[in-house]
Amino acid sequence: MTLTAQEEADAVVVGSGMGGLAAARMLAQFGRKRVLVLEQHYTLGGMTHEFSREGRYKFGTGLHYMSVNAGPFLDFMTDGRVQLWPLPDDYDVLHFPGFDFAVPATREQFRARLKDRFPAEAEAIDRYFRTVRWAMAGLAGRNVLSSMPAPVRRLGFPIVERLFPATYRSSRDQLARSFRDPKLRAILAARWGLYGTPPGSSAFGYHAAVPTTFFMAGTAHPVGGPKALNRIVLEILERYGVELRTRQQVQRIVLERGRVAGVEVEDLATGRNYRVRTPSVVSAAGVRNTYALLGSAAEPQWKREVANLPAEPSAIMLFLGLDRSPAAFGLHGENHWFMPDLDGHDGFHRQLGDGTLYVSFASLNNPAARHHTVELLELVDPAAFDRWQGTLDDKRPDDYHRLKDELTRRLIDRLDERWPGIRETIAFAELATPLSFETYQHSVRGSFYGLAATPERLRSPLAGARTPVRGLVVAGQDAWGSGVVGALAGGLVAAGAVLRPRQTGAMWRSIFARNPVREPTNTWQGYLRVAEIEASTPTIRKIRLVAMDGGPVPFSFAAGQYLKIDLPVAVEPIERSYSISSGPGAKDHVEIGVKRDPIGLGSTFLHEDLEIGQALRVSGPFGEFTWDPQRDTGRGTLLLIAGGVGITPLISVLAVAADAGYDGRIVLLAGCRTEDEIPYRQELRQLQARLPGLEVAVFLTQPGPGWQGRRGRIDLEALRPYVADVARVHLCGPAPMMQDVLGLLTGLDVPRDTVHTEAFVSGRSKQTRRERAHAIAVAAERAGVTGYTITERDQSSTFACPPGQTVLDAANAAHIPFPQSCGEGACGTCRVLILSGSYETDTRGMFSTEEIDQGWRLACQTLPTEDLVITRRA
């Protein structure tokens, strides 16, 4: 391999699964290290990433459910931002030949249900759960030791096995020692699929930890799917300066004098080969891959030790998209396990498609899901697919595709046998095999849970975080245990093996403090649930949003602000901004008003497809179009002017005034076309009763014959009576209306700095600006122009602006302090006066005709096409 470049990093993390990302964060946060994460896939996040099919179905790849009490690790990793939606109390339903058993949400209920079902074994059940605690403690002790230096491991491993023998027994052996009834043994052994090794082979410590401990507080699914968890973690890593690269294949871990010196990498997107010099490598690629990356530098005994570890299982996984909800078949989001017999100790050695089958209804557990999906998983021996090893996905022979078709049919048959008719609801089906997981995860033979959870693994000095190579540690599932949280724990112990003792201590203290510190910000990001949908007019809807847990809304806002909402109209959601209509005093909800635009994707979805109970991803609040009655003591008229749905933020202003007992003069002038298009009529009547100083005048441009109010537009004569003592004006509506009113106010000598504006921003406007920016950048490149200069006259400052960048973005990049709020032309905060130079822009109705003629523009919308001279003063 010819290396074309050399780089440096304090630490390199191989793989971006949760273990690798956890290690990366800890090294950056507590070790102050420059961390580079290299991921061979085109998507970050390992088994927390999702994929989509047919433009509507979204599937998780590895995270199906987790403990409702995810513990301090996940809480810390997400800065307390993860939102979980609970599964039903009976979250796992086990189906055996002749009988079923539902696993309840708490240890106490589980124990009580087992005793009720098997009263003759009541004392044995109590003893069993005591044994579980000891076996779990033994596993934790062994895993902690695995992150310590070799002398400690050599001394400690035998001691742990002597103190906690149940940890090292096979699950089948421990269950046989504990119970006489074969049905009871079958129930307690059934969920070995949660960590992947059948009871005849698995170490009981893993069985005690995963199905019998981790999920005993109840289970949950991330709101928004696994990708929501992934998004939060990646945002935090960016904050700590971690660099993440996709499509980067690590070819070799380089050693010098017995310790790590760097990694050699191929950029799969470009074919470029390069080396990164680093003293520390954290491998989240699994133990087998890690030692393979050492190549000839690996000692022969290491290779033998790793090769002698029991083989790992893989899986076949069927992804189904449905055209109706599984709830039609009596399902509520619980998982279902189908066991072919009571003695499923070696279930994945059965004929493919007939083994232990796990069925998950993820869309029922994700209130943000718009389309319904089902995922079926059967753990299998990857040897069944060895004959196609090394073939490319699009060039595999017909017999491979025939097998996939047969397995798909067989699995759907099992599903339809349980829920007759569900076959007819299937609109999409795709089967993944061990070859699929090997391709996308880069796991050895498509291993699904990492190293097999066997006693041999527990005894191996190489199956853990530490390696014999100085500077090389292993993170992820192989460093601790299976699943996303197990991988996360493996990342933490790997980081602890790299950090200095003082740094490691600070890390663990911060994690167990259970008080995650969020990045200081005025905005919140997360999911809210739709609680009510009400028609205000034939074209305007009021939508009430509440916290997912039913408590107070998790942010505060000022009257007049807005929210950004991700709308799931396609595979990738679109972001739209909507003004808040409710007052800040309503702590248990927040409301928005949405007018239907016949060609608008966002408003069409909110009017036609949104359902009560659905979760929407929200960020905010944003905007400077605010009013606080505590700062306004009635020194003049508060004049509110709205066009159509532009009244929405002004309703919030009136609500906060009413809540504060404000007795100053408030005038609301609202323009609409017809009487039935007057929004918030009921709210206005209620507010008039609470605000003695409120005067409301509604203007209709197309009044009906019975209309007794004002007719026509809000013109000069309509404004004149209210401006003599005006102290503050709030103006919101369509751009042409705002431009006209701004000119009228100027003509009436209303000071410009008393007028506050907010404009409608079309969801298409951002795309339009991007298109203009791209065209400007291309034209400049063709002309040989590399950048423009912007001179701010009153500040005596000059800064560069690359072609295609807005004035505001260029100022921010140059650290020039600019007033700003929304960045999308809604608030009008970033006003600038262009004194000279050419540009392209969109005024968004924020200026009167006279101001436009003078050269006033929005910095966030202005794209220079030559050098500019600007000022922020008239």
Side-chain angles (χ1 to χ4, degrees):
M1 181 171 70
T2 302
L3 300 176
T4 59
Q6 186 159 288
E7 304 177 19
E8 290 189 2
D10 294 333
V12 170
V13 176
V14 182
S16 70
M18 193 55 63
L21 297 181
R25 173 175 176 176
M26 301 308 155
L27 295 178
Q29 180 177 352
F30 296 98
R32 310 289 186 191
K33 295 183 182 293
R34 293 175 298 128
V35 182
L36 172 63
V37 177
L38 301 172
E39 168 58 51
Q40 59 89 30
H41 194 20
Y42 53 78
T43 302
L44 297 165
M47 299 302 277
T48 62
H49 89 268
E50 299 175 5
F51 69 94
S52 59
R53 291 291 186 267
E54 297 197 346
R56 53 180 176 158
Y57 298 116
K58 289 188 175 182
F59 300 99
T61 52
L63 197 167
H64 296 97
Y65 64 137
M66 58 202 313
S67 173
V68 73
N69 177 16
F73 295 169
L74 189 65
D75 201 36
F76 185 86
M77 193 66 186
T78 62
D79 283 3
R81 291 167 50 192
V82 65
Q83 293 174 281
L84 300 177
W85 191 252
L87 271 66
D89 281 347
D90 287 352
Y91 63 91
D92 272 339
V93 180
L94 315 179
H95 304 286
F96 296 93
F99 75 98
D100 296 338
F101 184 89
V103 179
T106 68
R107 186 191 308 271
E108 291 71 24
Q109 290 184 72
F110 188 29
R111 188 185 309 200
R113 188 169 295 179
L114 289 171
K115 288 181 178 180
D116 184 63
R117 188 74 171 261
F118 304 98
E121 302 255 32
E123 292 185 8
I125 290 169
D126 286 335
R127 287 195 300 271
Y128 175 78
F129 278 95
R130 288 194 294 271
T131 303
V132 163
R133 284 198 297 272
W134 274 100
M136 173 71 179
L139 179 67
R142 182 269 171 198
N143 284 346
V144 170
L145 281 174
S146 77
S147 67
M148 295 184 177
V152 179
R153 297 201 303 275
R154 284 195 297 270
L155 179 65
F157 277 8
I159 294 174
V160 171
E161 186 167 2
R162 284 198 300 272
L163 291 175
F164 303 97
T167 302
Y168 291 75
R169 293 184 190 121
S170 75
S171 298
R172 178 198 298 174
D173 181 13
Q174 184 58 53
L175 287 165
R177 289 168 181 252
S178 300
F179 305 110
R180 296 186 301 274
D181 194 305
K183 289 185 177 180
L184 177 56
R185 291 199 299 266
I187 288 170
L188 290 169
R191 294 179 297 153
W192 59 268
L194 289 170
Y195 58 92
T197 307
S201 308
S202 65
F204 182 67
Y206 292 104
H207 195 78
V210 183
T212 325
T213 299
F214 289 166
F215 296 105
M216 282 295 98
T219 56
H221 189 275
V223 179
K227 189 176 181 178
L229 173 62
N230 185 10
R231 180 193 291 117
I232 294 171
V233 171
L234 294 178
E235 287 174 357
I236 295 170
L237 288 176
E238 183 178 353
R239 191 176 83 211
Y240 283 106
V242 174
E243 183 179 356
L244 301 118
R245 298 181 189 172
T246 58
R247 303 290 287 147
Q248 307 296 305
Q249 181 69 63
V250 175
Q251 303 288 354
R252 188 166 73 96
I253 298 173
V254 180
L255 305 186
E256 293 178 0
R257 298 184 181 88
R259 69 160 298 128
V260 165
V263 292
E264 292 179 354
V265 188
E266 179 186 0
D267 185 331
L268 298 176
T270 65
R272 181 176 74 100
N273 296 305
Y274 62 98
R275 175 178 290 185
V276 182
R277 292 196 62 83
T278 181
S280 298
V281 170
V282 178
S283 175
V287 162
R288 295 189 193 276
N289 280 331
T290 299
Y291 285 93
L293 288 173
L294 292 174
S296 60
E299 296 288 342
Q301 64 267 31
W302 304 345
K303 295 180 179 179
R304 287 194 299 271
E305 177 73 33
V306 171
N308 288 336
L309 288 170
E312 302 91 312
S314 185
I316 55 173
M317 197 165 179
L318 181 61
F319 302 94
L320 300 176
L322 308 185
D323 60 13
R324 57 192 291 212
S325 171
F329 298 91
L331 294 155
H332 304 286
E334 69 280 4
N335 307 296
H336 289 261
W337 298 79
F338 295 86
M339 268 65 63
D341 51 42
L342 295 185
D343 191 26
H345 296 163
D346 293 306
F348 68 85
H349 291 300
R350 290 178 152 274
Q351 183 178 357
L352 291 176
D354 293 341
T356 299
L357 181 66
Y358 166 79
V359 183
S360 169
F361 300 89
S363 60
L364 292 180
N365 300 319
N366 176 14
R370 185 178 176 190
H371 302 286
H372 287 287
T373 58
V374 185
E375 295 162 18
L376 296 81
L377 183 146
E378 179 182 331
L379 291 160
V380 300
D381 185 345
F385 293 83
D386 279 353
R387 59 188 145 165
W388 301 292
Q389 193 75 32
T391 59
L392 297 178
D393 184 48
D394 58 348
K395 295 182 179 179
R396 288 181 182 134
D398 290 343
D399 57 348
Y400 174 77
H401 296 289
R402 283 196 297 270
L403 176 60
K404 287 183 64 174
D405 291 342
E406 171 61 22
L407 292 175
T408 298
R409 183 196 61 76
R410 193 175 299 169
L411 293 176
I412 291 175
D413 284 348
R414 294 178 71 180
L415 204 64
D416 198 66
E417 182 180 354
R418 181 70 194 186
W419 298 288
I422 200 170
R423 183 198 311 274
E424 281 67 42
T425 72
I426 298 172
F428 168 82
E430 181 175 319
L431 185 80
T433 72
L435 303 183
S436 311
F437 295 114
E438 186 173 15
T439 298
Y440 291 107
Q441 293 177 218
H442 201 61
S443 55
V444 176
R445 302 184 75 199
S447 62
F448 200 74
Y449 285 121
L451 291 174
T454 62
E456 292 84 354
R457 172 179 170 178
L458 291 177
R459 297 184 181 106
S460 172
L462 300 187
R466 288 275 185 175
T467 75
V469 178
R470 287 184 299 160
L472 175 63
V473 296
V474 173
Q477 294 186 114
D478 285 359
W480 189 271
S482 62
V484 169
V485 176
L488 198 163
L492 298 180
V493 296
V498 175
L499 295 170
R500 297 190 181 96
R502 181 178 297 179
Q503 296 168 336
T504 301
M507 178 186 80
W508 289 115
R509 285 192 299 273
S510 297
I511 290 170
F512 287 109
R514 299 301 294 266
N515 186 27
V517 178
R518 297 191 184 187
E519 179 77 355
T521 179
N522 294 322
T523 61
W524 177 86
Q525 293 181 352
Y527 285 86
L528 298 179
R529 185 169 52 84
V530 178
E532 293 181 21
I533 302 172
E534 181 183 345
S536 179
T537 76
T539 60
I540 296 175
R541 269 187 156 187
K542 296 187 302 180
I543 299 170
R544 175 171 289 193
L545 303 171
V546 299
M548 295 302 304
D549 61 3
V553 174
F555 56 84
S556 59
F557 62 91
Q561 289 191 297
Y562 65 92
L563 300 173
K564 294 181 181 180
I565 302 180
D566 286 354
L567 303 177
V569 300
V571 173
E572 291 299 325
I574 59 173
E575 184 184 82
R576 296 291 186 265
S577 298
Y578 297 102
S579 294
I580 300 171
S581 61
S582 53
K587 303 297 184 184
D588 63 338
H589 70 270
V590 60
E591 287 185 349
I592 60 172
V594 182
K595 181 178 181 180
R596 179 174 181 181
D597 177 353
I599 62 172
L601 286 175
S603 67
T604 300
F605 166 77
L606 292 173
H607 274 257
E608 295 184 359
D609 299 319
L610 186 68
E611 297 178 353
I612 291 176
Q614 187 167 357
L616 297 174
R617 188 170 187 268
V618 173
S619 60
F622 299 99
E624 301 296 328
F625 189 65
T626 58
W627 181 74
D628 182 354
Q630 304 301 322
R631 295 200 300 264
D632 193 328
T633 57
R635 49 190 171 81
T637 299
L638 172 62
L639 178 57
L640 310 177
I641 308 171
V645 76
I647 196 175
T648 303
L650 305 183
I651 294 295
S652 182
V653 169
L654 293 175
V656 78
D659 290 344
Y662 186 79
D663 58 3
R665 188 187 187 205
I666 304 177
V667 175
L668 171 65
L669 307 180
C672 302
R673 287 192 305 168
T674 64
E675 188 173 359
D676 67 353
E677 291 180 354
I678 302 173
Y680 298 101
R681 298 181 77 170
Q682 180 179 349
E683 288 85 350
L684 284 173
R685 285 194 292 268
Q686 294 170 347
L687 288 165
Q688 283 181 291
R690 298 176 62 197
L691 288 166
L694 173 61
E695 179 181 343
V696 178
V698 178
F699 296 75
L700 299 185
T701 57
Q702 299 176 17
W707 175 247
Q708 300 298 314
R710 308 286 188 93
R711 295 169 181 266
R713 299 182 184 279
I714 301 173
D715 57 15
L716 188 68
E717 295 310 312
L719 291 167
R720 193 186 302 279
Y722 306 110
V723 299
D725 66 340
V726 69
R728 188 179 181 93
V729 180
H730 279 235
L731 170 62
C732 183
M737 170 263 188
M738 291 179 62
Q739 183 174 323
D740 290 344
V741 172
L742 284 167
L744 296 173
L745 292 170
T746 300
L748 291 168
D749 297 323
V750 175
R752 187 62 173 83
D753 60 0
T754 68
V755 181
H756 302 264
T757 54
E758 183 162 80
F760 299 154
V761 177
S762 166
R764 297 181 295 275
S765 61
K766 185 179 291 187
Q767 182 63 31
T768 302
R769 190 179 75 218
R770 287 175 180 161
E771 291 168 354
R772 290 202 316 269
H774 177 70
I776 290 171
V778 170
E781 183 179 6
R782 289 173 179 170
V785 177
T786 58
Y788 306 114
T789 299
I790 300 176
T791 301
E792 192 175 13
R793 189 182 65 182
D794 48 328
Q795 299 294 326
S796 299
S797 61
T798 299
F799 54 95
C801 181
Q805 195 170 64
T806 66
V807 170
L808 182 61
D809 287 341
N812 289 338
H815 305 291
I816 302 295
F818 246 71
Q820 57 193 284
S821 177
C822 71
E824 58 186 34
C827 68
T829 306
C830 60
R831 292 161 43 95
V832 295
L833 184 63
I834 310 292
L835 301 175
S836 67
S838 65
Y839 52 87
E840 293 189 19
T841 193
D842 181 350
T843 63
R844 300 295 172 83
M846 289 296 185
F847 306 102
S848 66
T849 302
E850 181 182 7
E851 289 173 321
I852 293 172
D853 292 341
Q854 291 171 353
W856 285 102
R857 300 292 185 264
L858 297 172
C860 70
Q861 301 301 309
T862 300
L863 298 156
T865 55
E866 63 180 31
D867 296 346
L868 299 184
V869 178
I870 66 173
T871 181
R872 284 178 257 165
R873 298 175 184 171

